[in-house]
Amino acid sequence: MYVQKLNGAALERPHSRMRGPRGRRFRSREGRARGAVLNMAAYLQWRRFVFFDRETVREPSGPDGAAPKPFALPPSIAVCDSGRGNLVFGDMEGQIWFLPRSLQLSSFQAYKLRVTHLYQLKQHSILVSIGEDEEGINPLVKVWNLEKRDGGNPLCTRIFPAIPGNKPTVVSCLTVHENLNFMAIGFADGSVVLTKGDITRDRHSKTQILHEGSYPVTGLAFRQSGKTTHLFVVTTENIQSYMLSVKDYPHLELDTHGCGLRCSSLSDPSQDLQFIVAGNECVYLYQPDERGPCFAFEGQKLIVHWYRGYLIIVSKDRKTSPKSEFAGNEAQNSDKQVLNIYDLCNKFIAYSSIFDDIVDVLAEWGSLYVLTRDGKIHVLQEKDTQTKLEMLFRKNLFEMAINLAKSHHLDSDGLSEIFRQYGDHLYNKGNHDGAIQQYIRTIGKLEPSYVIRKFLDAQRIHNLTAYLQMLHLQSLANADHTTLLLNCYTKLKDSSKLEEFIKTSESEVHFDVETAIKVLRQAGYYSHAVYLAEKHEHHEWYLKIQLEDIKNYQEALHYIGKLPFEQAEGNMKRYGKILMHHVPNETTELLKILCTDYHPSGGNECPGMLEGKKANSEEFIPIFANNSRELKAFLEHMTEVQADSPQGVYDTLLELRLQNWAHEQDEQTKEKLHNEALTLLKSGRFKTVFDKALVLCQMHNFKDGVLYLYEQGKLFQQIMHYHMQNEQYKKVIEVCELYGDQEACLWEQALSYFARKEENCKEYIAAVLKHIENKNLMPPLLVVQTLAHNSTATLSVIKDYLVNKLQKQSHQIEQDEQRIQKYREETTRIRLEIEELKASPKIFQKTKCSICTSALELPSVHFLCGHSFHQHCFESYSESDSECSTCMPENRKVMDMIRAQEQKRDLHDQFQHQLKCSNDGFSVVADYFGRGVFNKLTLITDLPSGKTATTIEAGLQRELLIHSKRST
């Protein structure tokens, strides 16, 4: 076997130090092996687990139900690989075998003699094989397309010789890049042949010798990082890295020791695609430009693979293994092989078992398949993550469970459960400090009450404080958690921690500020509570603490003055009474500013707000209860600087001035207050609230104010009654003289008033009677009846009044009789004229036209009124064919008067009003009687059939009205 020959090759190697990449010196393999012994103790401490289940692959069950037999591979299997859903084998007879998951084995003849190397690509259905068709050193490379068929066999797309030139040598290793653009073949003579281009076609690829040396090539691996491609080349004596993405393929020697065949592999991205080289003493990891970590694993290494984050090593253990669960019940001899699965990240052995003569280890279908020389296949199935974690939990290996869960990318819920179990374990052991650290890691997943309850019961306030702090830092605390944390601080009396907690910057606040303020206030930490309230603009809490707890009224008032307008207004309404009681002057000054032109003293107003805001001063009046002096100053200030202040301000100021006036004893001061109150009444601000001002003046017996308001309200009767109640006779007469023209009944009331007086009031009665006579305000009979109730009023008082009244009435009667006689004569004349028009012919004797005054010529137009016109003149100037153009203006005036009377016949309200207000009611009735209010006038234009002469005469009333002035 070629593999056995190469593994047995022993070449001399120098032991001197050699310079590595970047000018770094590397020790020889023996020197580094001695250094790796230092890590051996750590390796021996690696725990061993059984994270894989081992089974032997068996054939499918037969129809008879017998137990299935172990599956057996064909004999003489030499090489194998896996990928694309198959295990691929090559034997010493030139056949390539495919084993799918259904275990239906199939094969085809690939070479005439033997198959020496196989490489199955993982991302393409391409298989690359190397074998011999003739005896001797003549290996051929064949590329197979497994998706295409040629006579039932896979299609061979390319065949070419493997050796460089004609130099006979043995192929030692093979690798192919997954992008199908690179293929590298290593040889026993130390050379490496690189094929660049499409490896499936001869025309699109180029083959060249990449590396030459004196030591057999034992391993090759491509590493792709972005657009950069590297090829690792390992021999029995050194390790080199070639950069294939750069022209001329520069290379770098990484180390001065190598490894045997199949003892190198490339890790997955979880280990940053490092190249793994396993020597007999140590396992080394390499990057393209440097060496990585080193692990000391004992035993002669035979096979190395990388599988899902695990390093798989098959080694020959020359020591007698003690009886263990891995080695079986009997002691094993030295020719047994040990398969170890290492978790390099978490530093433990995931599985270890002994096999007989392992051919290779393959990975497919999510499992590992171990091929032994006896043709059996053993499957290693990895346990699920939860099972592995439970195994670790049973051994209380929580730290390892955490690392394992992270490497398996367990979700946060799963990790949180591990942290919780670990915390419970430490808590039960009494390690409260360690437990709280684990519980802190569960924040966000585990209910905080689970942890809080434990440490409250254990009275571990320090641990509880640490947990609550972290809960707040992650912004997951609620109001109860904040309360509990602050109570912990206060119970510990840790003022420094408390200040550190509450004095975080605004962007780092992780707690409910209002809850913190409440707790601090309750605990008596007023300064801390005030700091929080001021910093986070909880104005109500700030003021409440300052006023109710600290009693710092001056500071509270100053703070309100710095607030924006809306908040300052609201807080003054809420706390104004308290502030007014303790700092009245300062509070009054702030209210003056707030109600006139407010700007925050701290400059907290909105940008661009130049005009200040002002509050409604009327709403702050209740604040001044029991502070009349400050209230008066405030109200007077408002009326001076703000004339349009609310009416309530003026009402309150009036009441305040009247109170002061009523209670003042000093005459000079009382006079001054009297003038101030009267001036305020005369300011014109009480027109809309007349009744209220009047009530205030009456309550305080402010006579001048009452009379002024009566006068402004035109309550003349109330003015006179006021003087009557005070028996001020002259004032009564003065009121009648002043306002009698506006309200005539004042004289009548004055006469009644004096008539009821039993004392001598002849002088005042005479004055009243004189005015009544001049204005004809009362009938004489009513005057006599009124004065009849007065025992002091004799006939001499009204003698002159009655004589004058009778003389005027006699004169009026004479005038009325003369007017009646005149109207009778006029009526008789009009009736005669009507009769003449009815019975006598009308002779038209006009010789001139009434329009142009020229001689009258035919054709002409004549009217009964006596006017004649040329026809052409009448047609030119007349507006109607049936009316005389000369009489028409007068006739229209009469008709308009009739229509106006008809329209005013139904104005009963107006009639009643005029009748009530007029001094001569009879004339008003006569006027409306003449308008036809009391009878209905019917206008008749045409004579109906069957009417008598009397009816005809009544119907001519309208014509009488029209022609009433015609004779003049």
Side-chain angles (χ1 to χ4, degrees):
M1 296 283 290
Y2 295 98
V3 174
Q4 292 173 345
K5 291 179 182 179
L6 288 172
N7 277 335
L11 301 174
E12 295 295 332
R13 293 165 298 175
H15 299 282
S16 61
R17 288 180 176 267
M18 301 185 67
R19 186 172 299 275
R22 298 181 181 176
R24 186 172 68 236
R25 289 184 177 273
F26 290 109
R27 292 175 295 174
S28 64
R29 184 172 60 184
E30 287 78 3
R32 276 183 299 164
R34 287 193 298 269
V37 172
L38 299 175
N39 294 330
M40 184 65 69
Y43 160 70
L44 293 176
Q45 293 178 358
W46 280 27
R47 290 184 174 271
R48 296 171 180 266
F49 301 98
V50 185
F51 285 166
F52 287 81
D53 295 323
R54 173 178 173 177
E55 293 181 2
T56 301
V57 177
R58 296 182 179 274
E59 296 179 352
S61 301
D64 54 356
K69 298 179 180 180
F71 183 82
L73 288 172
S76 69
I77 294 296
V79 292
C80 57
D81 203 354
S82 63
R84 308 297 292 180
N86 287 291
L87 303 182
V88 186
F89 309 101
D91 60 13
M92 298 300 294
E93 298 177 357
Q95 293 189 87
I96 295 178
W97 299 79
F98 296 95
L99 181 64
R101 197 166 192 178
S102 62
L103 302 182
Q104 300 295 325
L105 194 62
S106 62
S107 67
F108 72 96
Q109 192 70 36
Y111 294 91
K112 296 178 181 179
L113 292 182
R114 64 183 64 86
V115 181
T116 60
H117 295 83
L118 289 174
Y119 193 95
Q120 172 66 57
L121 277 79
K122 303 300 183 289
Q123 300 177 11
H124 304 276
S125 295
I126 300 295
L127 175 66
V128 180
S129 64
I130 299 178
E132 298 178 5
D133 284 339
E134 301 176 3
E135 289 290 346
I137 308 301
N138 187 22
L140 292 177
V141 179
K142 295 184 179 182
V143 181
W144 307 90
N145 189 337
L146 302 181
E147 293 181 346
K148 296 182 180 181
R149 294 290 169 176
D150 181 13
N153 297 331
L155 176 63
C156 183
T157 62
R158 183 180 181 188
I159 302 175
F160 62 93
I163 60 175
N166 297 321
K167 181 180 179 181
T169 182
V170 177
V171 176
S172 59
C173 52
L174 167 69
T175 187
V176 183
H177 199 292
E178 288 292 335
N179 63 11
L180 300 178
N181 285 326
F182 293 103
M183 179 170 60
I185 304 173
F187 297 91
D189 65 354
S191 60
V192 176
V193 173
L194 176 68
T195 300
K196 184 177 181 181
D198 189 352
I199 64 169
T200 63
R201 299 181 183 180
D202 290 327
R203 292 184 301 172
H204 300 288
S205 64
K206 179 181 179 182
T207 301
Q208 67 184 81
I209 298 176
L210 178 68
H211 172 80
E212 289 184 334
S214 56
Y215 304 109
V217 178
T218 56
L220 298 169
F222 287 108
R223 182 185 188 274
Q224 186 71 36
S225 178
K227 295 183 179 181
T228 304
T229 305
H230 288 88
L231 174 64
F232 290 102
V233 178
V234 57
T235 68
T236 56
E237 291 298 327
N238 58 20
I239 303 170
Q240 297 191 20
S241 169
Y242 285 84
M243 183 180 291
L244 304 182
S245 53
V246 179
K247 189 177 181 180
D248 298 334
Y249 309 137
H251 69 282
L252 183 67
E253 186 176 22
L254 299 177
D255 216 334
T256 56
H257 75 90
C259 65
L261 281 176
R262 301 195 297 174
C263 289
S264 62
S265 180
L266 189 71
S267 69
D268 58 21
S270 66
Q271 283 290 334
D272 200 19
L273 296 174
Q274 297 186 90
F275 188 54
I276 301 169
V277 177
N280 289 336
E281 298 87 2
C282 299
V283 175
Y284 302 93
L285 278 67
Y286 297 92
Q287 293 284 356
D289 57 349
E290 63 179 355
R291 181 166 67 86
C294 169
F295 299 91
F297 297 141
E298 61 182 2
Q300 181 183 354
K301 313 301 185 297
L302 302 178
I303 301 173
V304 173
H305 285 293
W306 186 268
Y307 169 73
R308 291 186 175 181
Y310 293 110
L311 176 63
I312 303 169
I313 296 179
V314 178
S315 60
K316 182 181 292 187
D317 191 358
R318 295 182 180 179
K319 298 180 180 179
T320 301
S321 300
K323 183 167 62 176
S324 67
E325 60 176 317
F326 306 105
N329 294 329
E330 297 180 357
Q332 302 295 322
N333 54 25
S334 60
D335 53 353
K336 296 290 184 181
Q337 296 176 356
V338 179
L339 184 144
N340 289 319
I341 301 178
Y342 299 96
D343 188 329
L344 301 183
C345 180
N346 298 311
K347 303 295 188 297
F348 65 82
I349 301 173
Y351 184 77
S352 181
S353 184
I354 295 177
F355 293 85
D356 292 330
D357 200 2
I358 298 175
V359 175
D360 208 343
V361 180
L362 303 176
E364 191 66 23
W365 310 309
S367 301
L368 290 174
Y369 293 87
V370 182
L371 282 63
T372 56
R373 189 61 59 188
D374 57 5
K376 295 181 179 180
I377 302 177
H378 304 273
V379 59
L380 300 179
Q381 182 69 41
E382 186 178 8
K383 298 179 185 292
D384 61 88
T385 303
Q386 190 59 38
T387 302
K388 292 188 283 188
L389 292 176
E390 290 175 357
M391 295 171 64
L392 295 174
F393 294 159
R394 287 195 294 269
K395 298 182 179 181
N396 294 326
L397 300 175
F398 293 99
E399 286 289 352
M400 189 170 290
I402 293 169
N403 295 332
L404 178 66
K406 289 181 178 179
S407 63
H408 283 62
H409 304 290
L410 196 65
D411 60 9
S412 57
D413 292 334
L415 281 171
S416 177
E417 179 61 21
I418 299 173
F419 296 144
R420 183 195 66 79
Q421 294 188 35
Y422 191 15
D424 290 346
H425 171 71
L426 295 175
Y427 182 85
N428 294 331
K429 288 175 61 179
N431 185 1
H432 296 94
D433 294 338
I436 202 65
Q437 294 304 318
Q438 299 305 318
Y439 287 134
I440 286 174
R441 300 168 79 177
T442 66
I443 291 177
K445 299 296 180 182
L446 181 63
E447 176 60 36
S449 60
Y450 177 86
V451 180
I452 294 172
R453 193 180 301 112
K454 282 179 175 290
F455 287 91
L456 278 177
D457 296 340
Q459 297 184 353
R460 299 288 299 181
I461 192 170
H462 291 86
N463 300 126
L464 181 59
T465 303
Y467 179 81
L468 292 171
Q469 282 177 338
M470 189 58 63
L471 197 65
H472 282 80
L473 286 177
Q474 297 189 22
S475 301
L476 295 174
N478 57 27
D480 293 333
H481 299 149
T482 302
T483 302
L484 186 57
L485 177 58
L486 292 174
N487 284 329
C488 289
Y489 284 142
T490 56
K491 189 174 271 291
L492 292 172
K493 300 188 183 303
D494 193 346
S495 298
S496 60
K497 282 286 186 181
L498 182 60
E499 290 187 5
E500 181 183 352
F501 177 73
I502 67 173
K503 291 187 178 180
T504 53
S505 63
E506 189 169 338
S507 60
E508 298 176 351
V509 174
H510 305 287
F511 56 89
D512 185 76
V513 176
E514 187 171 359
T515 301
I517 294 172
K518 291 180 182 177
V519 175
L520 291 170
R521 183 189 182 197
Q522 186 176 3
Y525 285 80
Y526 300 126
S527 61
H528 296 78
V530 165
Y531 170 82
L532 272 182
E534 183 177 10
K535 179 180 178 182
H536 299 283
E537 298 183 353
H538 286 262
H539 310 307
E540 184 177 353
W541 281 108
Y542 179 90
L543 295 173
K544 187 177 293 187
I545 297 171
Q546 288 281 21
L547 296 174
E548 298 178 7
D549 301 321
I550 305 178
K551 310 293 184 182
N552 192 345
Y553 306 104
Q554 194 73 38
E555 184 62 31
L557 189 64
H558 177 69
Y559 184 83
I560 293 176
K562 296 189 296 183
L563 297 179
F565 171 76
E566 291 79 7
Q567 297 173 6
E569 181 184 22
N571 283 295
M572 282 305 295
K573 291 178 181 178
R574 187 177 295 111
Y575 302 109
K577 289 185 179 180
I578 300 175
L579 294 170
M580 183 62 66
H581 178 71
H582 293 90
V583 281
N585 294 331
E586 293 82 353
T587 305
T588 303
E589 292 302 318
L590 179 58
L591 285 175
K592 289 179 181 179
I593 298 173
L594 187 64
C595 296
T596 52
D597 186 19
Y598 179 76
H599 292 276
S601 59
N604 296 327
E605 57 191 314
C606 298
M609 185 181 294
L610 299 177
E611 183 179 355
K613 296 184 178 181
K614 56 185 179 182
N616 187 350
S617 53
E618 185 178 3
E619 297 176 354
F620 295 97
I621 293 176
I623 292 176
F624 293 90
N626 302 320
N627 294 82
S628 58
R629 183 174 60 84
E630 287 75 14
L631 176 59
K632 183 180 179 183
F634 172 72
L635 295 176
E636 289 178 347
H637 173 79
M638 294 306 304
T639 55
E640 290 174 2
V641 302
Q642 189 174 319
D644 59 343
S645 294
Q647 185 61 41
V649 172
Y650 288 92
D651 294 343
T652 308
L653 181 59
L654 175 62
E655 182 178 5
L656 195 61
R657 287 184 176 180
L658 291 176
Q659 286 179 356
N660 294 338
W661 172 81
H663 294 89
E664 184 59 47
Q665 300 298 325
D666 183 68
E667 291 298 328
Q668 293 182 353
T669 306
K670 192 177 184 70
E671 181 65 22
K672 179 181 178 182
L673 293 174
H674 174 277
N675 296 333
E676 289 179 355
L678 196 59
T679 302
L680 183 61
L681 279 174
K682 294 181 179 180
S683 64
R685 294 294 306 185
F686 298 93
K687 293 181 179 180
T688 57
V689 288
F690 170 82
D691 296 338
K692 187 175 182 180
L694 184 59
V695 170
L696 289 175
C697 291
Q698 290 174 342
M699 286 174 57
H700 296 87
N701 197 23
F702 189 61
K703 296 180 180 181
D704 291 346
V706 171
L707 293 175
Y708 173 79
L709 291 174
Y710 281 158
E711 182 180 358
Q712 293 299 309
K714 296 184 178 181
L715 301 177
F716 306 128
Q717 295 187 36
Q718 281 80 352
I719 296 175
M720 190 170 66
H721 290 163
Y722 182 84
H723 292 309
M724 288 177 178
Q725 290 175 359
N726 295 293
E727 297 186 351
Q728 297 176 342
Y729 302 147
K730 292 184 178 180
K731 292 289 184 182
V732 172
I733 300 298
E734 290 178 2
V735 170
C736 292
E737 292 175 350
L738 289 173
Y739 311 116
D741 294 339
Q742 302 179 44
E743 196 165 349
C745 61
L746 293 177
W747 291 103
E748 300 176 14
Q749 295 177 10
L751 181 62
S752 300
Y753 170 74
F754 288 121
R756 290 193 297 270
K757 292 294 183 180
E758 294 299 329
E759 55 189 274
N760 189 3
C761 297
K762 294 181 180 180
E763 178 184 356
Y764 305 110
I765 294 175
V768 172
L769 287 175
K770 182 178 180 181
H771 191 84
I772 290 175
E773 179 186 357
N774 293 335
K775 298 294 184 180
N776 194 22
L777 300 177
M778 294 176 64
L781 183 58
L782 183 59
V783 172
V784 173
Q785 291 176 350
T786 301
L787 292 177
H789 301 286
N790 192 320
S791 59
T792 60
T794 60
L795 184 61
S796 60
V797 176
I798 61 172
K799 176 182 178 182
D800 295 338
Y801 168 75
L802 292 175
V803 171
N804 293 334
K805 197 66 176 174
L806 291 173
Q807 290 177 353
K808 288 181 180 179
Q809 287 183 355
S810 298
H811 181 69
Q812 184 66 35
I813 291 171
E814 291 177 359
Q815 290 180 350
D816 292 341
E817 288 178 350
Q818 293 176 2
R819 192 176 295 111
I820 291 171
Q821 184 62 33
K822 181 180 178 181
Y823 288 158
R824 284 177 179 175
E825 294 174 356
E826 182 70 17
T827 301
T828 301
R829 185 185 61 78
I830 293 174
R831 285 178 178 175
L832 292 174
E833 187 175 351
I834 292 172
E835 289 295 332
E836 185 180 355
L837 289 173
K838 288 180 180 180
S840 302
K842 180 68 175 177
I843 299 174
F844 301 101
Q845 297 179 345
K846 290 285 187 179
T847 58
K848 292 183 179 181
C849 176
S850 299
I851 294 177
C852 63
T853 66
S854 299
L856 196 63
E857 296 178 355
L858 295 177
S860 60
V861 179
H862 304 276
F863 286 88
L864 292 177
C865 60
H867 296 103
S868 299
F869 307 94
H870 292 114
Q871 184 176 0
H872 63 273
C873 292
F874 178 76
E875 292 176 352
S876 300
Y877 291 96
S878 177
E879 297 180 3
S880 174
D881 294 341
S882 59
E883 290 188 73
C884 174
S885 58
T886 303
C887 299
M888 185 174 60
E890 293 296 329
N891 293 339
R892 286 192 176 181
K893 288 181 181 180
V894 175
M895 294 303 297
D896 290 341
M897 292 172 61
I898 294 174
R899 292 190 187 96
Q901 290 178 355
E902 290 177 353
Q903 292 175 359
K904 295 180 179 179
R905 283 187 302 172
D906 297 329
L907 302 179
H908 301 293
D909 294 337
Q910 183 177 356
F911 167 71
Q912 294 291 342
H913 177 72
Q914 290 187 6
L915 184 63
K916 182 179 179 180
C917 297
S918 175
N919 295 329
D920 189 0
F922 181 79
S923 62
V924 174
V925 174
D927 179 54
Y928 274 84
F929 185 84
R931 295 181 186 178
V933 173
F934 304 103
N935 62 332
K936 187 172 183 180
L937 179 64
T938 304
L939 299 179
I940 301 175
T941 56
D942 296 326
L943 181 63
S945 61
K947 298 294 183 179
T948 61
T950 306
T951 307
I952 296 174
E953 183 178 356
L956 292 177
Q957 293 180 8
R958 176 174 176 274
E959 296 183 9
L960 288 174
L961 292 173
I962 295 174
H963 299 286
S964 60
K965 297 183 179 181
R966 192 171 293 168
S967 60
T968 58

